[in-house]
Amino acid sequence: MIDQSLFGKMPDGTTVKQFCLTNKHNVSVEILNLGGIIRRWLIPNDKHTHTDIVLGFDTVADYLSDDSYLGALVGRYANRINKGKFSLAGIDYQTDINQGGNCLHGGSQGFNSKVWQSTVLSSGDNPSIMLELISPDGDQGFPSSISVKVVYTLTEHNHLKIEYFATSQKSTIYNPTNHSYFNLSGHNSGSVKSHQVQILASHYTPTDSQAIPTGEIDEVDNTPFDFRSLTTISQSLISDHQQIEYGNGLDHNLCLDLFTPMSKTATYAGKALVKGSGVELKVYTTMPGIQVFTANHFSNKMGKEGACYQAHQGICFETQFYPDTPNQVHFPNVMLEAGTEFYSMTVYEVLFKKTDFKHS
Ligand code: FUC
């Protein structure tokens, strides 16, 4: 089932719509056509109500004034490009610089801040919406016009499937992700430090103090980035490893051991869970990397429904190409050739204890 409603208005009066996708297990995901933002993700809990497992805001203005990309689709280039500079086919490009002298998440007017064209694809058992956007040649300094499409489907198996499509006129780079901050105990329930996480990655990309990759691809052995077996987040956050100190927590790209670029099959990448709660989030993707970010800089951020978010109150699993790939030739290729169709898929599966949920 899909419920469509008015969420608010952009400063220029453009309508922001909200789509609520609900399946037969009483899971619902609310998505805005502004930035494709996942605003709420409700799962039934054992108190006969719902737990909202993602952080979010109440108004369009809150989303536009914040710089944390809560729940948003990120593009053209998720993560950082060193000084916003790169060259393609012998031509140098300078993108918009919007964080610490670097380009973060596609520049100051990234895809997260745009109102996308929206279409309901199915309102049945597997509700699905399609969002589309055309980014012109030179948008935020990136080459070529690019036509992008994202399809969100909530399946009857409690999977939220996110499919990314794109085509460009000339060769360019494209690296999309979704920037949801998860808190499996509820968005307003404090820190995620007690969450346990598994990520099937034997390597990660270390960064400098500005979160720009050094170019190395290091083994995770004996580092706070070894999540190959279930590990509590706090164990990693208390580490005195320089990489953790740089950003006050996890803000790193882990290199997935198995990945399937452009394929229609997403591979299991990892999971998060809260012990004893029965709530578990599994992540599957076709992408080669996953940026694990623990909301390190949050401080009294006023969120939806009166919540006040603090550092480490959410965890992001941003499936993507490695950061700064355009300047690191040995990282998996992020080029989108003219006329080639880009495809990637990430699936978030939520498991929870079955309850005799009653509508309130
Ligand atoms: C993540 C991080 C960044 C940043 C942003 C809001 O993707 O890599 O450091 O602060 O989100």
Side-chain angles (χ1 to χ4, degrees):
M1 186 178 83
I2 294 192
D3 256 1
Q4 195 178 320
S5 56
L6 174 70
F7 178 68
K9 290 206 161 148
M10 295 292 278
D12 70 358
T14 309
T15 297
V16 176
K17 296 182 212 166
Q18 171 167 287
F19 297 87
C20 182
L21 285 57
T22 304
N23 72 7
K24 64 183 180 194
H25 304 291
N26 287 303
V27 171
S28 54
V29 181
E30 285 179 20
I31 296 165
L32 307 182
N33 64 344
L34 165 62
I37 290 166
I38 299 176
R39 199 180 87 79
R40 276 196 184 131
W41 193 325
L42 303 175
I43 59 168
N45 62 27
D46 51 14
K47 295 179 198 71
H48 308 298
T49 60
H50 280 117
T51 302
D52 185 351
I53 59 166
V54 291
L55 278 54
F57 293 121
D58 284 328
T59 66
V60 169
D62 287 346
Y63 279 107
L64 294 181
S65 62
D66 187 70
D67 61 0
S68 304
Y69 300 83
L70 261 61
L73 293 176
V74 170
R76 294 189 192 190
Y77 197 94
N79 218 313
R80 291 175 177 80
I81 299 176
N82 192 8
K83 300 186 177 58
K85 288 182 193 301
F86 61 95
S87 54
L88 267 190
I91 301 173
D92 292 336
Y93 293 95
Q94 173 68 63
T95 70
D96 186 53
I97 295 297
N98 58 332
Q99 204 226 25
N102 300 308
C103 180
L104 176 68
H105 297 327
S108 49
Q109 300 300 314
F111 292 178
N112 61 295
S113 65
K114 308 278 188 212
V115 174
W116 296 49
Q117 195 190 315
S118 52
T119 311
V120 171
L121 293 183
S122 157
S123 50
D125 282 347
N126 298 282
S128 184
I129 62 163
M130 176 169 73
L131 300 173
E132 292 170 283
L133 189 72
I134 293 174
S135 168
D137 192 359
D139 189 7
Q140 308 299 295
F142 288 92
S144 184
S145 83
I146 178 168
S147 167
V148 303
K149 193 162 88 180
V150 172
V151 175
Y152 280 110
T153 307
L154 175 64
T155 77
E156 53 202 321
H157 305 294
N158 300 329
H159 293 194
L160 184 72
K161 182 160 74 165
I162 312 177
E163 294 176 277
Y164 301 85
F165 303 82
T167 49
S168 71
Q169 273 178 348
K170 293 183 271 171
S171 294
T172 188
I173 53 173
Y174 186 46
N175 184 22
T177 194
N178 177 277
H179 208 300
S180 288
Y181 291 77
F182 292 96
N183 187 322
L184 301 180
S185 304
H187 76 105
N188 197 9
S189 67
S191 140
V192 295
K193 284 182 187 169
S194 62
H195 283 42
Q196 296 185 311
V197 168
Q198 177 183 51
I199 312 265
L200 299 187
S202 315
H203 294 83
Y204 77 109
T205 49
T207 69
D208 65 14
S209 61
Q210 300 304 304
I212 298 293
T214 59
E216 294 146 295
I217 298 179
D218 282 0
E219 294 189 346
V220 295
D221 302 67
N222 304 313
T223 74
F225 308 104
D226 190 353
F227 291 101
R228 287 171 296 182
S229 34
L230 263 188
T231 304
T232 306
I233 287 296
S234 58
Q235 203 175 310
S236 172
L237 295 187
I238 58 169
S239 162
D240 59 5
H241 195 289
Q242 191 186 38
Q243 290 285 317
I244 294 290
E245 289 182 348
Y246 275 159
N248 184 35
L250 287 161
D251 189 3
H252 290 83
N253 168 61
L254 303 192
C255 310
L256 295 169
D257 292 337
L258 292 174
F259 62 96
T260 45
M262 300 292 186
S263 120
K264 298 270 173 190
T265 317
T267 308
Y268 173 74
K271 65 181 174 183
L273 58 89
V274 175
K275 217 173 166 186
S277 72
V279 181
E280 201 168 307
L281 173 79
K282 289 187 172 171
V283 184
Y284 307 82
T285 190
T286 57
M287 289 298 239
I290 192 162
Q291 182 85 5
V292 180
F293 177 54
T294 43
N296 307 325
H297 60 284
F298 283 19
S299 170
N300 297 325
K301 188 188 285 295
M302 296 312 296
K304 60 192 173 189
E305 295 140 23
C308 182
Y309 302 137
Q310 307 294 353
H312 310 135
Q313 188 151 348
I315 183 164
C316 304
F317 298 103
E318 302 159 61
T319 54
Q320 56 190 241
F321 286 105
Y322 302 176
D324 201 31
T325 295
N327 295 305
Q328 303 287 352
V329 286
H330 55 299
F331 286 180
N333 184 12
V334 71
M335 280 279 291
L336 176 59
E337 306 289 350
T340 317
E341 172 121 16
F342 174 92
Y343 180 78
S344 82
M345 180 188 359
T346 291
V347 177
Y348 295 106
E349 175 184 13
V350 180
L351 296 98
F352 51 88
K353 282 185 195 155
K354 290 219 164 28
T355 57
D356 53 341
F357 175 85
K358 294 187 184 61
H359 280 285
S360 49

